[in-house]
Amino acid sequence: MTSLPQERSESTPAIGTSVSADDFKRAFRGHPGGIAVITAYGEHGPVALTASSVSSVSADPPLLIFSVSSMSSATPTIVSASTIVVHLLDAEDIGLARAGATSGLDRFADTTTWTRLSTGEPVYHGVRAWLRCAVVSRMDAGGSTVIAAQALQVNVERDLEPGEPGAALVYHNRTWHRLGEHSRLD
């Protein structure tokens, strides 16, 4: 099969050129992301970080993706883990979201808020939902690593019926927001 040459207009940048980091951040500031905390257990103990990049990819098999920045101290443990726990948060979990996003904080100091699953991964109590996942793929992407994981186990504490507003926690324009009935558009 032969491929046809791709036409490129004068305004289309050549591969290798890109927008500035500031312009890229400015574009995504208006694009909200759901909040999750990713945990793993490594040779130096449990780690956690807050992520707004978690997305479902497939229901069958149950796959999700997320990215972790190389600037996080938790990243080496999460990237090398064979299994992780993805905690999907809502507004009731804002304290955990903030803790996972705060550098230098011992996210596991309060031993009443978490335990280890029988398989070893740290899991926080009382979050909206969590999924224990097997890491199936890793891809370096700039200063981050994109991780694909397959859900092996799920626990849903606060379920939602289809169309119910709930109290979703999102990150938008450098601030936390609660979605609910007041933000619903029909």
Side-chain angles (χ1 to χ4, degrees), residues 9 14 26 32 37 40 46 56-57 72 94 109 116 119 127 138 142-143 148 185:
S9 73
R26 200 173 86 230
V37 166
S56 64
V57 175
S72 171
I94 186 66
R116 286 178 69 182
T119 49
V127 297
R138 297 167 185 86
L185 301 173

Side-chain angles (χ1 to χ4, degrees), residues 35 37 87-99 125-129 158 167 169:
I35 304 302
V37 166
H87 301 76
L88 302 174
L89 308 184
D90 65 15
E92 290 185 38
D93 305 313
I94 186 66
L96 179 58
R98 286 183 172 137
H125 305 293
V127 297
R128 191 190 75 71
R158 293 184 293 278
L169 178 63

